[in-house]
């Protein structure tokens, strides 16, 4: 039977974390209302909420969010499919690994941000340069983790499978792939985080739409409330996607021993 | 009828780092009758695991030959199944899935037969009700029983067991020994059982092969004179202890040769 826990024990993280956030916002709002914060440097909670509401009802906030969201999802989906597929091939075939390793190492070591001007030359300032930046940001963590997962095959398990006359294909489907799943999910979680950075940074570099653009524009025009709306949207998307990825991770590691 | 035969098997390992080779097995010959329970004991590092892996078809060797039913072995086959020292279960599969695994790989049984056999062998090793558990939720002894069930379910003629109970505590170990004898009495497989424990070997086996220290050779083969079924009390009887002592002295001699001191179990 599941051990009984009190209400507080069950929701400890939520109560402590939520409480701390609420108190911080309350103090911030108090300082803002008292006029102790210059709107040039920092905004206040009420102003941010007002700006958010304005953006939704009269401004372009919804369109910006849709634009950024589309770029992110497109780029991420491409990174996921190709990262997992390519990672499996490189992890499974030694020759493929030896051939691609130098390229991947070089690309992996280059900060993605240094590639942005090149990407803009290739794809222009429109949405496809953003999609590509998300793709290239999320691709590497997914790829590297998938390769690691496929290569991480347990030698004892491999020997046991061989003893039962397993074919290479059976070893691949029954050992390499299921064993790689937790690694792939870790890659997805990291890819989500880097992909989000990619979409924001990409929009800052060029173009005239999206949440990243909104943040950059807010900064240039000292519109701190607009800037904050953008930052908060990015932060919440990060939290949401990471949470989804973590749930997915847990769903697929039910067999792991309790920690 | 001879079921399993190894004749004049030699095995060398090449040590990459030291740039030389070790002779692990030298001219090992063994022959096991159909339905016989053969145990092998010997000092640590004498090549027991190497021999078992060679017979299983998992390890190449340099000289000699291995055959089952008179046919030469060159690779793993459905006539043999291995119970490894480490339970080597797939952690993401349930107990049921693990017991089915060997059968799945060998594709000898259809779906219905696999389900039926999975069920039967899980019950046989006393794990009924644990089908849906994961290996991480089981004790070491239970995992080792799953391992045994997986091997038995694949319906091999020969069961190769490499110190399957070594990781267990003394009580669980004795329990598993008598369980194994019960299962063996029902399933009547030919068994090759490797162990460090001399009294385990005598208690279980029809014959006990003693191997010499490295390079591994067959030093002597003892027939165990006790009838079956055997109770655990047998281990306390004088005749049993005398046989244990005789084998013990033989191994101690060997270990002295390579400077290993064996502690009594
Ligand atoms: N992969 C390997 N590479 C090099 N040498 C090896 C390898 N495997 C085993 N050996 C050597 O071969 C000898 C026999 O090893 P093996 O594992 O067969 O012994 P064992 O009798 O099973 O020992 P233990 O009782 O400790 O399990 C050992 O001396 C070991 O050093
Ligand atoms: Mg061994």
């Amino acid at each position: 039977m599941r051990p009984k826990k009190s209400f507080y024990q069950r929701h400890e993280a939520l109560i402590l974390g939520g409480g701390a956030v609420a108190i911080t916002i309350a103090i911030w709002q108090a300082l803002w209302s008292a006029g102790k914060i210059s709107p040039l440097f920092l905004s206040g909670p009420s102003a941010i909420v007002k700006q958010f509401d304005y953006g939704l009802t009269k401004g372009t906030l919804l369109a910006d969010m849709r634009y950024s969201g589309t770029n992110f999802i497109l780029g991420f989906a491409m990174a996921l499919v190709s990262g997992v597929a390519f990672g499996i091939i490189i992890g499974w075939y030694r020759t493929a690994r030896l051939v691609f390793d130098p390229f991947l190492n070089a690309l992996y070591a280059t900060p993605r941000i240094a590639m942005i001007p090149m990407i803009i030359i290739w794809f222009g300032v429109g949405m496809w340069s953003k999609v590509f930046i998300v793709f290239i940001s999320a691709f590497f963590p997914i790829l590297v983790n998938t390769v690691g997962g496929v290569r991480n095959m347990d030698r004892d398990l491999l020997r046991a499978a061989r003893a039962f006359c397993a074919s290479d294909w059976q070893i691949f489907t029954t050992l390499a792939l299921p064993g790689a799943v937790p690694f792939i999910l870790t890659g997805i979680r990291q890819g989500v985080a880097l992909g989000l950075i990619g979409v924001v940074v990409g929009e800052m570099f060029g173009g005239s739409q999206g949440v990243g653009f909104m943040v950059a524009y807010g900064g240039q025009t000292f519109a701190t409330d607009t800037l904050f709306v953008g930052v908060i949207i990015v932060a919440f998307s990060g939290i949401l996607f990471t949470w989804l990825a973590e749930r997915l991770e847990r769903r697929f590691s039910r067999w792991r021993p309790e920690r | 009828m001879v079921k399993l035969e190894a004749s004049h098997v030699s095995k060398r390992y090449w040590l990459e780092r030291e740039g030389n080779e070790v002779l692990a097995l030298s001219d090992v010959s063994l022959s096991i009758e159909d339905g016989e329970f053969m145990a092998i004991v010997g000092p640590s590092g004498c090549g027991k695991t190497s021999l078992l892996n060679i017979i299983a078809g998992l390890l190449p060797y340099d000289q000699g030959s291995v055959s089952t039913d008179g046919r030469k072995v060159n690779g793993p086959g459905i006539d043999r199944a291995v119970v490894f020292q480490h339970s080597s279960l797939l952690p993401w599969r349930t107990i049921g899935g693990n017991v089915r695994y060997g059968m799945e790989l060998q594709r000898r049984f259809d779906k219905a037969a696999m389900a039926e056999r999975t069920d039967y062998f899980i019950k046989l090793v006393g794990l009924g009700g644990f089908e849906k558990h994961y290996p991480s939720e089981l004790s070491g002894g239970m995992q080792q029983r799953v391992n045994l069930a997986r091997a038995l379910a694949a319906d091999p003629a020969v069961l190769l067991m490499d110190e399957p109970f070594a990781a267990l505590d003394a009580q669980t170990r004795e329990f598993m020994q008598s369980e194994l004898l019960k299962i063996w009495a029902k399933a009547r497989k030919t068994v090759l059982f490797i162990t460090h424990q001399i009294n385990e070997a005598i208690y279980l086996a029809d014959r006990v092969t003693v191997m010499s220290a490295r390079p591994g050779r067959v030093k002597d083969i003892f027939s165990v004179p006790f009838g079956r079924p055997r109770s655990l009390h047998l281990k306390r009887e004088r005749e049993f202890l005398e046989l244990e002592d005789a084998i013990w002295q033989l191994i101690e001699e060997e270990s002295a040769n390579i400077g290993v001191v064996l502690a009594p179990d």
Side-chain angles (χ1 to χ4, degrees), chain B residues 13-15 22 24 42-51 85 162-163 196 214:
Chain B
Y13 284 105
W14 175 251
L15 298 176
V22 282
S44 185
C46 74
K48 304 183 291 296
T49 297
S50 304
L51 179 61
Q85 176 166 351
D162 188 5
E163 306 199 36
H196 263 111
R214 207 168 73 194

Side-chain angles (χ1 to χ4, degrees), chain B residues 77-148:
Chain B
I78 54 173
D79 55 345
R80 286 151 288 146
V82 186
V83 180
F84 295 100
Q85 176 166 351
H86 306 288
S87 63
S88 58
L89 300 174
L90 277 55
W92 52 82
R93 280 193 180 215
T94 59
I95 300 317
N98 268 291
V99 171
R100 203 170 46 239
Y101 187 57
M103 292 188 282
E104 263 177 47
L105 294 177
Q106 297 189 347
R107 300 213 189 103
R108 269 171 69 206
F109 300 101
D110 61 28
K111 256 200 152 126
M114 283 202 289
E116 198 178 301
R117 294 180 69 82
T118 303
D119 202 50
Y120 175 81
F121 283 100
I122 287 179
K123 292 212 175 78
L124 187 70
V125 297
L127 287 177
F130 286 94
E131 290 83 353
K132 298 229 154 59
H133 286 62
Y134 287 93
S136 62
E137 297 164 345
L138 265 54
S139 72
M142 290 158 98
Q143 290 184 19
Q144 209 47 277
R145 278 185 272 164
V146 178
N147 222 6
L148 180 60

